[in-house]
Amino acid sequence: MSSDAAPEQHASADDYLQRADLMAELGRYDDAVAELGYAITLDQASVRAWTMLARVQLAAERPEDALAAADTAVAVSTATAAVPGAAPDWAAPLVARGLALVDLRRFKEAAEVADDLLRRGPADAYAQRSAAAILADARNGQPALNAAWRGVELAPREAQAHLVLGMVAARLNLFDLAERAYREALELDPELAEARNDVGQSRLERRRYVWALEEVAATVAVTPVRTNSARSVGESLLRLVLYGAGYSIVAAVLVAFMATGSGAGSRLWAALLAIAGGVLLWRFASAVPGLVRTILPELLPRDRTLALAVYASLAAPALILLYALLGSPWPLVLAIAAASVAELAVLRRYGPAPS
């Protein structure tokens, strides 16, 4: 059904909900929103419809609209809870609200939602792992880890529980635990390896948690997230530093040696070698999408050694080129120093680059 079609006569709210779910699973989010609009028109007190609308808007990356729908879902759920004999779905609306707040970077409010989930659902596996995931984005720390462990204890056979534990552990730099949890999740659900390509609202959390775990994995040298189709971003960063810095050291020393015989000739070779080094670094950097804008700023507070090593490796060819332009020996000295420190720091902490 297209988004501009009129509602069908005699169709029930459930009919529209089913069609909305189908549209969302096909990635047709605007059509799903239209179907949900018809469902809500027929049943404005439907917690399920308002919650699904929030989740569809989250999947469509429209967090403000998602928050508005989630707020209504929470309000309707709260009102329903006052009805004798009613058993409202209280957790799902709160989770949708927490996720929307995280996407809007309103972390304090998101943490409050997570605390509410933990308080209201001490024996609810979904509430516990969802609260842990929200806390991992909002403030992390021991409460997030405790909630993630509780989620696993309550639902040891659910892959998402282990996935959330892995995500929280990785953000706390507990990489051994993160790897074990991720592998356990993969054993329970082998399709998790490709979950980042999922669409729809029913797999919203699974997709988000895999994305989050991969994002954290991009900031460490050894990552728990490994698929058959791609190397880890952390391994790519190691290669960039070790091979890029190693090349710059050799190139700078060679140019310095040539400068003792012919300053003009050494400057020409410096330019050529700097360009070649830039091409080499571009090759490794291209394996890490968003390296400068996203990965390095995220990496700096989490792993300063690796972040500074990457920056130094990127700077070394530029310093060699600066020597070619100015003729002063100091850029060569700085290039050798920067590349050497980067290489030694990474080798001492992480060992040789993966083959």
Side-chain angles (χ1 to χ4, degrees):
M1 181 175 179
S2 63
S3 59
D4 57 355
E8 297 178 6
Q9 293 183 349
H10 309 301
S12 67
D14 284 342
D15 293 332
Y16 288 118
L17 286 173
Q18 291 175 10
R19 284 203 288 251
D21 189 39
L22 175 60
M23 295 297 182
E25 297 311 292
L26 294 173
R28 295 169 54 181
Y29 298 125
D30 289 339
D31 290 339
V33 169
E35 297 289 341
L36 287 165
Y38 300 146
I40 289 169
T41 298
L42 292 173
D43 185 3
Q44 296 186 11
S46 172
V47 177
R48 180 185 171 196
W50 284 110
T51 302
M52 187 184 296
L53 178 59
R55 292 172 62 84
V56 169
Q57 298 287 23
L58 283 169
E61 299 182 359
R62 296 190 285 253
E64 291 184 356
D65 293 334
L67 180 60
D71 283 342
T72 303
V74 171
V76 172
S77 175
T78 301
T80 305
V83 177
D89 181 3
W90 62 269
L94 281 175
V95 171
R97 185 170 190 272
L99 296 178
L101 289 168
V102 165
D103 287 353
L104 291 169
R105 305 189 67 80
R106 291 164 58 176
F107 296 126
K108 181 179 179 181
E109 294 170 80
E112 291 172 353
V113 172
D115 290 341
D116 196 15
L117 283 165
L118 294 176
R119 178 182 59 81
R120 296 178 63 179
D124 188 314
Y126 176 65
Q128 292 292 309
R129 68 170 178 262
S130 298
I134 293 169
L135 285 174
D137 284 315
R139 68 184 180 213
N140 214 344
Q142 192 63 41
L145 186 61
N146 292 344
W149 272 117
R150 180 62 175 161
V152 171
E153 292 172 356
L154 291 170
R157 301 303 301 169
E158 291 188 17
Q160 283 193 31
H162 296 275
L163 182 61
V164 170
L165 177 59
M167 180 189 71
V168 173
R171 288 190 169 174
L172 290 171
N173 295 331
L174 302 173
F175 300 119
D176 289 341
L177 174 59
E179 181 170 2
R180 291 196 303 271
Y182 181 73
R183 294 191 184 284
E184 181 66 25
L186 275 181
E187 289 183 8
L188 294 169
D189 183 3
E191 293 182 0
L192 279 178
E194 305 299 329
R196 70 182 331 274
N197 299 317
D198 288 346
V199 295
Q201 62 87 22
S202 66
R203 295 183 293 273
L204 174 67
E205 285 100 331
R206 185 175 81 158
R207 180 170 65 253
R208 288 174 65 102
Y209 301 158
V210 169
W211 279 352
L213 189 52
E214 289 183 351
E215 180 183 321
V216 177
T219 69
V220 296
V222 180
T223 168
V225 181
R226 301 178 187 272
T227 68
N228 295 329
S229 60
R231 299 171 186 167
S232 73
V233 175
E235 290 177 355
S236 297
L237 290 178
L238 273 184
R239 290 185 176 87
L240 186 153
V241 172
L242 295 177
Y243 296 141
Y247 172 89
S248 295
I249 293 170
V250 173
V253 170
L254 181 60
V255 169
F257 178 77
M258 288 189 293
T260 61
S262 171
S266 69
R267 292 172 67 180
L268 175 61
W269 273 103
L272 295 174
L273 291 171
I275 293 171
V279 172
L280 176 67
L281 285 173
W282 176 85
R283 175 189 171 191
F284 287 111
S286 63
V288 190
L291 174 65
V292 175
R293 288 188 177 183
T294 304
I295 301 302
L296 287 178
E298 289 283 341
L299 179 62
L300 193 59
R302 298 176 185 275
D303 192 335
R304 189 174 298 273
T305 298
L306 183 57
L308 294 178
V310 172
Y311 279 121
S313 300
L314 295 174
L319 290 169
I320 296 174
L321 183 60
L322 186 62
Y323 164 77
L325 296 174
L326 302 179
S328 170
W330 288 110
L332 281 182
V333 174
L334 290 174
I336 294 172
S340 299
V341 170
E343 183 126 352
L344 288 173
V346 168
L347 281 172
R348 287 185 62 184
R349 182 162 183 175
Y350 304 108
S355 58

